[in-house]
């Protein structure tokens, strides 16, 4: 792997809007990615291997649950800091960001928000340090965009719950120590349960042959009469709103993360355009290449402004789910377009592992689909502005 | 044990260098500043000593308020407290005098600086500071071990290494080797939050006299374009060496 020469664009001097602490958080994550991710990520993706050693590294720098209060092992940072961490991790690789997003927003967040004090104390510090890895089970083989139709269910058998069903496309599943599983009660109400590895009847088969997020482990969660202790129920919130609250947090992180992937593609293409000579001059001197670069930096800058404002709203507790949907949809689409244009600028070199672009491009195919597809987020915006539900 | 680490606030090594004010001042517009890399090796060694012995580590900088993010980063990495002496650090003797005034009052056992700062590369402050404090000084250190108040220091000399033994208090000017690049610390998120609560004391500069002033800076001449000549075309090479390079 060639030296990581990444230099982040800041066309509108957005650093001026960030606090000294935000910049330190961002730069620390950027340094960590240069040191711990850039040298290993290409090989991990080529071999489709999850680089397990990064889990403790992510824990050490504090990328797991950075906004969780210090008493539970987090750093107590704000939402913009969380976004910046996700941006920098995804600049390295969407798979690495996915691992951190899932742990932070989909495992630690629900335990912190919907769990009791005992559950927080038991699980959060180990998740924050990376000693334990978690995953989140909502999507099912027959219910992706329609999670309310889920079939996974549990029965109250007096001294425990009996869990049955299956979840699919679950990041971190093959190596997770715990799973936050969303299942319906006998009253048809969605609840969250903490399922631990080793519980009888619980298995996590790995999903193989992905062309995307190859450095992140994906799998299924299968529950065959799993006895879940009653104290593992997340009792403080139920209904579809509970998992959707987690998704709001994760989607917010993805909106920032996509900017990281886009920045890496833009930066790579910009540098290449100054070095690659065709017809006796750098290709960056030709109008068609400049058009691509100019549009890329314009779109990145717009996306940065969108997420910065969204971060302020999240800090004030005012960001709506629909606002988060807009940013996730816009920014991932922006990153995909940039990855494709950047790939073209590098010609044949763009398809090789010498450069990160094709890896980002393939990763983004997952990112545009998970945590609410591109189309579903559009319908959320549509419903928000018209008041009409076009989902069904 | 009390350790003082002197931290310079310098432009990132990839910065594009320009000057303003009739070429007498560095143009810091759009420049990212970092902990001087030589100082960072020293800071990291100080953190290792802190962890092994429970020493306290103070970081200090002579500079304007704009240098505080650099001190905060040192606090986030693990230093216990930070001091900023409020003055523009434009002259080595001036900076050394201000540092010495502070250090004299505090009785540090060990003072670590970088061998030089990568902006002006004067390399004069460490020696001057040791002179003002009248304590032993070892330059260009690539190794440090402590046993009680005894120190074993390795320094680079022409063509080899020299190992010295001495007693604390002393002043070391460090470089790579004191620790390796892989040992350098990246602040963790919890460290960044803790840095918020650690003391960063600002001291107004006392009486110190600047002994030099900058008349002007010049950038090196831009590298000339490289002309590639086919290996078989010796005639053209001779012609160019004669007519353009004018060396034959």
């Amino acid at each position: 792997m060639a030296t990581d020469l990444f230099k982040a664009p800041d066309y509108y001097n957005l650093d001026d809007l960030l606090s000294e602490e935000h910049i330190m958080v961002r730069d620390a994550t950027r340094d960590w990615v240069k040191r711990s991710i850039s040298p290993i990520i290409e090989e991990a993706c080529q071999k489709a291997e999850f680089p397990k050693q990064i889990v403790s590294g992510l824990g050490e720098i504090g990328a797991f649950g950075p906004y969780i209060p210090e008493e539970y092992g987090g750093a107590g940072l704000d939402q913009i800091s969380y976004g910046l961490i996700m941006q920098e991790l995804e600049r390295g690789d969407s798979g690495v960001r996915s691992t951190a997003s899932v742990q932070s927003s989909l495992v630690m967040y629900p335990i912190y928000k919907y769990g009791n004090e005992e559950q927080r104390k038991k699980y959060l510090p180990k998740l924050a340090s990376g000693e334990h890895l978690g995953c989140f089970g909502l999507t099912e083989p027959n219910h992706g965009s329609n999670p309310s139709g889920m079939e996974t269910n549990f029965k109250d058998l007096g001294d425990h719950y009996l869990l049955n069903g299956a979840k699919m496309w679950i990041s971190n599943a093959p190596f997770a120590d715990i799973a936050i599983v969303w299942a319906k009660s006998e009253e048809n109400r969605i609840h969250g349960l903490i399922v631990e590895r080793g519980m009888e009847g619980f298995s996590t088969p790995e999903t193989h042959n992905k062309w995307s997020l190859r450095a992140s482990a994906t799998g299924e969660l299968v529950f065959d009469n799993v006895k879940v202790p009653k104290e593992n129920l997340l009792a403080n919130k139920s209904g579809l709103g509970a998992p959707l609250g987690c998704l709001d947090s994760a989607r917010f992180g993805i909106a920032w993360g996509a900017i990281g992937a886009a920045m890496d593609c833009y930066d790579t293409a910009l540098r290449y355009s100054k070095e690659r000579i065709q017809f006796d001059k750098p290709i960056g001197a030709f109008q068609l290449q400049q058009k691509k670069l100019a549009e890329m930096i314009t779109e990145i800058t717009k996306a940065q402004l969108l997420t910065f404002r969204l971060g302020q709203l999240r800090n004030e507790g005012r960001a709506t789910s629909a606002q988060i949907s807009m940013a996730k949809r816009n920014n991932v689409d922006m990153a995909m377009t940039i990855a494709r244009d950047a790939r073209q600028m590098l010609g044949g070199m763009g398809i090789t592992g010498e450069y990160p672009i094709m890896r980002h491009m393939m990763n983004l195919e997952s990112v545009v689909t998970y945590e609410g597809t591109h189309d579903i987020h559009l319908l959320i915006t549509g419903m928000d502005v018209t008041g009409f539900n076009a989902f069904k | 044990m009390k350790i003082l680490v002197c931290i310079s606030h310098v432009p990132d090594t990839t910065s594009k260098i320009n000057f303003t004010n009739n070429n007498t001042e560095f143009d810091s517009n759009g420049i990212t500043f970092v902990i001087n890399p030589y100082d960072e090796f020293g800071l990291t060694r100080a953190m290792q000593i802190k962890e092994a012995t429970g020493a306290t580590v103070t970081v200090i900088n002579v500079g304007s308020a704009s240098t505080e993010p650099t001190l905060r980063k040192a606090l986030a990495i693990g230093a216990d407290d930070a001091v900023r002496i409020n003055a523009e650090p434009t002259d080595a003797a001036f900076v050394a005098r201000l540092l010495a005034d502070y250090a004299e009052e505090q009785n540090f056992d060990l003072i670590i600086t970088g061998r030089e700062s990568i902006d002006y590369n004067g390399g004069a402050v460490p020696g001057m500071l040791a002179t003002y404090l009248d304590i032993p000084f070892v330059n260009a250190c690539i190794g440090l071990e402590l046993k009680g108040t005894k120190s074993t220091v390795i320094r680079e000399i022409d063509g080899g290494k020299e190992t010295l033994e001495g007693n604390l208090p002393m002043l070391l000017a460090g470089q790579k080797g004191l620790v390796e690049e892989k040992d350098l610390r990246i602040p963790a998120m919890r460290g960044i939050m803790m840095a918020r609560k650690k003391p960063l004391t600002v001291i107004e500069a006392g009486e110190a006299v600047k002994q030099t002033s900058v008349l002007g800076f010049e950038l090196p001449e831009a590298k000339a374009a490289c002309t590639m000549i086919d290996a078989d075309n010796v005639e053209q090479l001779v012609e160019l060496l004669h007519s353009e390079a004018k060396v034959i």
Side-chain angles (χ1 to χ4, degrees), chain A residues 77-371:
Chain A
L77 292 167
D78 73 346
Q79 290 292 313
I80 291 174
S81 298
Y82 174 60
L84 289 164
I85 293 170
M86 295 299 119
Q87 172 188 297
E88 294 305 317
L89 293 180
E90 192 144 1
R91 204 285 295 175
D93 188 78
S94 304
V96 176
R97 199 269 305 135
S98 297
T99 298
S101 282
V102 169
Q103 183 91 329
S104 301
S105 288
L106 303 183
V107 182
M108 296 176 72
Y109 179 89
I111 293 173
Y112 175 64
K113 282 278 181 187
Y114 314 143
N116 58 36
E117 192 60 17
E118 214 167 284
Q119 291 166 334
R120 290 174 180 175
K121 290 235 158 82
K122 180 177 177 188
Y123 295 105
L124 292 176
K126 285 182 180 171
L127 291 162
S129 69
E131 187 182 337
H132 279 178
L133 191 65
C135 66
F136 174 92
L138 178 65
T139 297
E140 298 188 352
N142 297 322
H143 299 92
S145 295
N146 173 27
S148 60
M150 70 169 63
E151 293 160 45
T152 301
N153 64 86
F154 64 96
K155 288 190 172 66
D156 187 341
L157 295 189
D159 63 339
H160 65 271
Y161 299 118
L162 193 69
L163 178 66
N164 278 290
K167 300 289 179 180
M168 204 174 180
W169 307 119
I170 310 301
S171 293
N172 297 358
F175 302 107
D177 300 284
I178 65 166
I180 303 297
V181 178
W182 301 94
K184 279 182 181 163
S185 65
E186 289 153 285
E187 294 77 35
N188 219 26
R189 182 93 183 150
I190 293 172
H191 290 268
L193 293 164
I194 305 170
V195 179
E196 298 179 22
R197 183 169 293 282
M199 287 181 175
E200 207 180 322
F202 173 41
S203 58
T204 59
E206 185 163 359
T207 305
H208 293 289
N209 301 329
K210 293 180 296 172
W211 284 119
S212 181
L213 299 182
R214 287 168 65 81
S216 159
T218 311
E220 297 169 47
L221 305 175
V222 182
F223 313 103
D224 179 13
N225 285 320
V226 180
K227 286 181 186 173
V228 180
K230 283 202 151 175
E231 66 259 27
N232 284 24
L233 181 82
L234 296 173
N236 292 343
K237 186 155 179 165
S238 64
L240 191 60
L244 292 185
C246 306
L247 292 177
D248 273 353
S249 176
R251 290 166 179 170
F252 170 74
I254 294 170
W256 286 84
I259 296 173
M263 280 178 170
D264 202 31
C265 294
Y266 164 76
D267 180 59
T268 304
L270 178 63
R271 199 174 311 110
Y272 191 83
S273 78
K274 293 175 182 174
E275 292 165 358
R276 172 72 172 164
I277 310 288
Q278 289 289 281
F279 304 103
D280 299 324
K281 54 182 182 179
I283 61 169
F286 292 99
Q287 289 186 354
L288 286 175
Q289 306 308 321
Q290 287 191 7
K291 175 179 186 289
K292 292 190 188 80
L293 290 165
E295 286 176 350
M296 285 181 205
I297 192 61
T298 307
E299 291 307 314
I300 288 171
T301 304
K302 284 154 68 179
Q304 285 176 311
L305 288 162
L306 200 65
T307 44
F308 180 78
R309 177 62 187 144
L310 190 63
Q312 288 180 323
L313 291 171
R314 288 272 299 167
N315 277 346
E316 293 164 12
R318 293 200 292 141
T320 65
S321 299
Q323 286 171 330
I324 295 167
S325 283
M326 181 187 280
K328 190 267 184 184
R329 180 177 186 273
N330 179 79
N331 290 10
V332 177
D333 187 55
M334 169 281 296
M336 291 179 80
T337 306
I338 287 177
R340 289 188 181 142
D341 282 349
R343 215 291 302 150
Q344 285 198 48
M345 287 185 66
L346 267 73
M349 290 311 290
I351 68 163
T352 72
E354 288 292 306
Y355 295 91
I357 297 175
M358 190 106 178
R359 177 166 50 80
H360 284 307
M361 191 204 284
M362 296 198 298
N363 282 341
L364 289 163
E365 292 293 332
S366 294
V367 181
V368 77
T369 296
Y370 70 20
E371 312 253 3

